[in-house]
Amino acid sequence: DVKVTQSSRYLVKRTGEKVFLECVQDMDHENMFWYRQDPGLGLRLIYFSYDVKMKEKGDIPEGYSVSREKKERFSLILESASTNQTSMYLCASSSVAGAGTQYFGPGTRLTVL
Amino acid sequence: RKEVEQDPGPFNVPEGATVAFNCTYSNSASQSFFWYRQDCRKEPKLLMSVYSSGNEDGRFTAQLNRASQYISLLIRDSKLSDSATYLCAVDTGTASKLTFGTGTRLQVTL
């Protein structure tokens, strides 16, 4: 069974802190994605990666960076958290062959105080 | 114009009813279309792909209208368990990225 896991379900951080969100998939997928989901705005793509050490900016990359050192792991980094980064963060993965089928992790609800 | 647009709803329907949602997209080069389902406080999960000729999966029917650039999802004989938010997704034509709509909320009642 396909599985995408995220390091935390809930996270509370203070403004200015560096925040790491981790995502691991066990399906040997090439593609991995980070989204944030906010009411009324839907899913917005922050960054995606189509291979180890490869990354591309999505629609809203400002204030975020990513790291993909291993195929199964994709990390999202908030260099200096701000209150407007309070959101639900969802990681997803897909294979090149089945690119339309993205498998999502359970999400991390991040609150920045 | 947004790349992918959906009526946010909510659509409140009684059990057994038939309900349909539309989703419009702006990129005429898009080739792949999908419906995802998202339960409250859960992650989205693929419900079904949308094929050019239309496709059916049990009570669910998906259709594509390229000329008018929209996809639709029809749910027949609605169940309480169908209550969820339905997200449409369209490929961006770049790599494996999808653009998601903001979702249409469905509430099925007794």
Side-chain angles (χ1 to χ4, degrees):
Chain A
D1 200 18
V2 160
K3 198 148 188 189
V4 179
T5 56
Q6 294 184 228
S7 48
S8 307
R9 290 302 304 272
Y10 299 94
L11 210 51
V12 179
K13 295 292 182 180
R14 296 209 175 272
T15 302
E17 280 192 79
K18 192 168 186 176
V19 182
F20 294 87
L21 302 182
E22 298 253 293
C23 174
V24 178
Q25 50 98 0
D26 66 358
M27 297 159 283
D28 201 36
H29 283 168
E30 296 85 0
N31 306 314
M32 295 188 76
F33 308 83
W34 275 108
Y35 296 90
R36 63 178 282 177
Q37 188 173 32
D38 301 286
L41 297 177
L43 282 165
R44 292 181 292 166
L45 182 65
I46 303 171
Y47 267 98
F48 80 102
S49 168
Y50 51 90
D51 202 351
V52 175
K53 297 194 188 292
M54 306 303 287
K55 60 186 179 185
E56 283 199 21
K57 293 179 180 179
D59 301 315
I60 51 163
E62 298 79 19
Y64 303 94
S65 63
V66 290
S67 171
R68 192 160 179 208
E69 296 297 316
K70 292 185 177 182
K71 191 175 185 180
E72 68 270 19
R73 191 177 298 267
F74 192 34
S75 302
L76 180 70
I77 303 144
L78 287 66
E79 296 290 343
S80 177
S82 63
T83 54
N84 63 13
Q85 292 178 311
T86 292
S87 187
M88 171 65 83
Y89 290 88
L90 287 155
C91 173
S93 73
S94 71
S95 68
V96 171
T101 304
Q102 292 190 10
Y103 296 89
F104 285 83
T108 296
R109 168 72 64 185
L110 173 67
T111 302
V112 183
L113 302 175
Chain B
R1 182 183 171 187
K2 286 184 182 176
E3 287 186 61
V4 179
E5 287 198 76
Q6 293 183 253
D7 181 342
F11 283 59
N12 293 300
V13 302
E15 249 191 324
T18 296
V19 62
F21 314 129
N22 282 345
C23 167
T24 58
Y25 63 94
S26 61
N27 185 352
S28 59
S30 294
Q31 295 294 318
S32 303
F33 309 88
F34 309 90
W35 284 102
Y36 280 74
R37 171 192 169 128
Q38 186 172 22
D39 293 308
C40 190
R41 301 185 192 282
K42 297 280 192 179
E43 71 273 21
K45 293 184 179 178
L46 180 70
L47 178 66
M48 58 198 302
S49 303
V50 186
Y51 303 124
S52 298
S53 54
N55 48 298
E56 194 173 300
D57 183 2
R59 297 181 293 107
F60 298 83
T61 301
Q63 296 207 306
L64 167 64
N65 185 317
R66 284 195 186 273
S68 301
Q69 292 185 209
Y70 73 87
I71 62 173
S72 63
L73 178 68
L74 181 80
I75 306 175
R76 288 182 299 279
D77 189 24
S78 298
K79 311 287 184 196
L80 292 173
S81 57
D82 294 334
S83 297
T85 296
Y86 292 84
L87 308 172
C88 65
V90 178
D91 81 278
T92 64
T94 305
S96 302
K97 292 192 295 181
L98 297 176
T99 299
F100 287 84
T102 52
T104 297
R105 194 155 70 87
L106 171 66
Q107 184 67 51
V108 181
T109 57
L110 286 169

